[in-house]
Amino acid sequence: MPALARRLQDVQPSGSTRMSVRARALRAEGHRVLSLTVGEPDFATPPHAVEAAHAAALAGRTKYPPNDGWPELKEAVRRKFLRENGLDFAADEVIVGNGGKQVILDALLATVDPGDEIVVPVPAWSAYADIGKLAGGVPVLVPCPQNNGFKLRPEDLEAAITPRTKWAVLNFPNNPSGAALTREEVAGLTAVLMRHPHVWVMSDEMYEHISYVDTGFHSVAAVEPGLRERALTVSGASKTYAMTGWRVGFGGGPRALIKAMTNMQSQTTNGIATVAQAATIAALDGPQDGVAERRRIYRERRDLVVSMLNEAPGLQCHRPEGAFYVYPSVAGLLGRTTPGGRRLESDEDVAAALLEEAHVATVSGAAYGMSPYIRLSYATDTETLREACGRIAAFCRGLA
Ligand SMILES: Cc1ncc(COP(=O)(O)O)c(C=O)c1O
């Protein structure tokens, strides 16, 4: 076979994808597998968004869109940034992409040269490091310790920045730990970033509406307007409006960066599906009560899952303040043996054994750069969560 590109050597399918594939195979064998792997709301897309997509298609709005998004969608995104985040962007400071993921890909490919460093606090969604590597960059992983609630400490951020740093990525509320920051905590980090004007700042705020911090969510670029010329704020429709399959993400940032990202998009996808753009305008401009209602439901599920997992011997589950994940430590399970004869040496062994023997799919912390933990998504119904946590507890009790 002719060779594949060297740049793909270090890039693996994501941990959650690998577990989902194995879970599907077990299901095909007839097992009742409960999956807590995927970071995807179990709710339906709001009907008014679906209707807007339908109406746009019937009205013939099915031609190539502008690379950076329909002007009317960009206006809706601008209004959203102003209303919800206190960020005032001009039209050419906003871009719409195929999911937040493409916005991140655009930004890194448009800026990272071989050898450039990308500071990524871990645990982290694996895309920053993997996309950074695709661009020739070098991820610099900065541990966010559990005893600090998995939050990034300013001194650790400071220590990670070098003259080669191109980007610092912040993602709070965080996938996978659920850590969310107060305004003061964000300010502690922006104070560090202000001292390093050669660094681009990416704030991935995909889970901004799933924060349980009493004082609410604070956008990084709004907390420190001095970062305006080098901060990219990323968000999207996927998690807020249960629209993962529509593939709509957006970014707001300095004009020159957005222009370069638009160029990237012109050579990759030529913009995003028009019907998805119509749906997103309706979601952004329509009633927002569903957002708060879903947040309330997620919060109840978090409380259920944290309390059930903390009753399982050997697990220790931190209570996160955001997103829809928990990230329990499995340190207390290591060195033990399962009824099926598997010896648990790592969090990958724990996730594999839970899937094979308890038929509960989770993702190992190794996939997020911090072990020994597993990630569970609680974006699923309460009955499934109860049964899954019950099976996990029984698995822990059954270890020798
Ligand atoms: C932290 C974070 N950012 C961005 C995304 C990408 O979202 P999408 O591409 O669906 O908009 C995800 C999805 O899991 C995520 O967890």
Side-chain angles (χ1 to χ4, degrees):
M1 188 184 99
L4 300 176
R6 266 197 295 276
R7 80 173 71 84
L8 278 173
Q9 271 166 6
D10 279 350
V11 179
Q12 304 293 333
S14 75
S16 60
T17 305
R18 271 178 286 150
M19 291 305 272
S20 301
V21 168
R22 181 66 191 134
R24 261 200 300 278
L26 285 170
R27 275 197 194 109
E29 289 168 20
H31 298 292
R32 213 173 83 76
V33 177
L34 305 179
S35 183
L36 307 183
T37 54
V38 183
E40 163 163 87
D42 55 318
F43 301 105
T45 296
H48 55 273
V50 179
E51 281 158 14
H54 187 212
L58 289 176
R61 301 209 62 190
T62 51
K63 306 294 186 198
Y64 280 128
N67 287 312
D68 56 345
W70 278 350
E72 57 270 51
L73 173 54
K74 290 180 43 163
E75 281 304 308
V77 171
R78 285 182 58 204
R79 285 192 292 277
K80 168 256 171 318
F81 274 131
L82 192 57
R83 181 178 72 234
E84 299 177 351
N85 307 89
L87 296 172
D88 192 1
F89 292 113
D92 56 0
E93 294 176 317
V94 166
I95 187 170
V96 178
N98 285 273
K101 196 165 210 170
Q102 188 179 23
V103 175
I104 294 164
L105 177 93
D106 291 337
L108 295 181
L109 288 186
T111 53
V112 172
D113 285 317
D116 284 352
E117 294 173 358
I118 304 157
V119 171
V120 180
V122 288
W125 187 46
S126 55
Y128 315 117
D130 282 333
I131 296 174
K133 284 190 277 185
L134 268 181
V138 180
V140 174
L141 307 183
V142 185
C144 300
Q146 179 177 351
N147 63 15
N148 194 42
F150 296 108
K151 297 173 188 185
L152 177 62
R153 295 183 298 211
E155 60 272 30
D156 295 336
L157 175 61
E158 180 80 62
I161 295 177
T162 74
R164 293 300 317 253
T165 306
K166 185 56 85 61
W167 281 93
V169 177
L170 301 177
N171 168 228
F172 298 98
N174 178 265
N175 172 11
S177 73
L181 304 182
T182 62
R183 191 175 209 288
E184 290 65 36
E185 287 165 337
V186 174
L189 299 174
T190 56
V192 173
L193 294 165
M194 284 302 286
R195 289 197 282 277
H196 300 280
H198 66 292
V199 176
W200 290 103
V201 178
M202 181 185 297
S203 182
D204 178 346
E205 304 184 352
M206 199 51 76
Y207 297 94
E208 59 181 313
H209 288 290
I210 313 173
S211 170
Y212 321 122
V213 177
D214 290 342
T215 48
F217 173 79
H218 297 278
S219 269
V220 169
V223 169
E224 180 46 87
L227 290 174
R228 184 177 173 97
E229 285 312 308
R230 55 193 174 94
L232 176 70
T233 304
V234 179
S235 192
S238 296
K239 318 287 175 173
T240 305
Y241 298 110
M243 289 178 61
T244 45
W246 298 80
R247 311 306 304 128
V248 184
F250 17 89
R255 190 166 289 122
L257 177 64
I258 297 296
K259 184 163 182 270
M261 291 166 62
T262 306
N263 286 346
M264 279 300 313
Q265 222 154 265
S266 75
Q267 293 303 348
T268 51
T269 52
N270 260 105
I272 71 169
T274 53
V275 289
Q277 301 200 42
T280 305
I281 295 172
L284 287 171
D285 287 347
Q288 300 296 305
D289 354 345
V291 176
E293 175 60 8
R294 289 191 286 274
R295 176 167 54 239
R296 187 188 62 71
I297 295 170
Y298 288 134
R299 190 181 180 131
E300 281 175 14
R301 292 173 179 175
R302 173 202 63 176
D303 291 341
L304 170 75
V305 168
V306 169
S307 71
M308 284 190 79
L309 292 178
N310 275 329
E311 280 169 21
L315 289 188
Q316 199 247 319
C317 188
H318 173 77
R319 189 161 166 272
E321 308 90 347
F324 40 58
Y325 308 104
V326 289
Y327 202 60
S329 164
V330 297
L333 304 182
L334 301 187
R336 314 277 299 278
T337 305
T338 68
R342 292 181 169 79
R343 195 170 153 79
L344 305 177
E345 306 282 7
S346 66
D347 54 21
E348 288 177 308
D349 292 346
V350 172
L354 272 172
L355 181 54
E356 301 296 333
E357 298 189 27
H359 296 148
V360 179
T362 61
V363 188
S364 69
Y368 303 98
M370 187 180 271
S371 295
Y373 294 90
I374 54 174
R375 187 194 80 166
L376 287 71
S377 162
Y378 54 85
T380 192
D381 64 280
T382 311
E383 276 323 295
T384 303
L385 291 173
R386 267 186 210 286
E387 186 177 348
C389 291
R391 287 194 200 179
I392 293 171
F395 170 88
C396 294
R397 282 194 298 271
L399 297 175

